[in-house]
Structures are given as C-alpha cells and as structure tokens.
Amino acid sequence: MEYFTLLTIGYSVMEHQMQFSVWFPTEDACWSVLLDSGALYDQINATEGHCDVSEVASHIVRPKLRPW
C-alpha cells in the first residue's frame, strides 16, 4: 500500500531559518524530488531535507468484483 509522504526542506535567508513542506503521493516520488541532480534542494541551497511517510493511504487496492 502507498502512503502520502511529506517533503520538508529547510534553508536560510540572511540570518533566518526557513522551511517549507510539500505533499507527495508516494515515498519514492518524495525522495526523487529531494535527491535528483539540479533539484529544488540544490537550487535554493537548502541545509536540510527529509521525507516523512504519513499513515494516510494514497492508493487503496480495491478487491476484485466476484460473480456471486
């Protein structure tokens, strides 16, 4: 089962520590955005980034329809 994953990136602007978060439908999608070369993480010179998996399912497998 796949779960929504929260990407949190921290960076600094002048002397202030800032952070923002973005929801992704899977953990793989979150990590690919964080680790890809030329990614947002590199463009804003981020100091930290991590993916937190939630307990909310993003994709539920439906049972097959039975003929009886």
Side-chain angles (χ1 to χ4, degrees), residues 4-7 11 23 29-31 39 43 46-47 53 55 64 67:
F4 285 108
T5 304
L6 183 67
L7 167 64
Y11 60 100
W23 286 103
C30 179
W31 283 110
Q43 293 177 10
T47 56
V53 179
E55 296 178 3
K64 292 183 178 181

Side-chain angles (χ1 to χ4, degrees), residues 4-39:
F4 285 108
T5 304
L6 183 67
L7 167 64
T8 303
I9 294 181
Y11 60 100
S12 59
V13 175
M14 299 177 136
E15 297 94 31
H16 302 288
Q17 288 288 9
M18 309 290 283
Q19 71 177 18
F20 67 91
S21 300
V22 179
W23 286 103
F24 287 92
T26 65
E27 185 177 8
D28 290 337
C30 179
W31 283 110
S32 68
V33 168
L34 187 60
L35 298 177
D36 281 346
S37 61

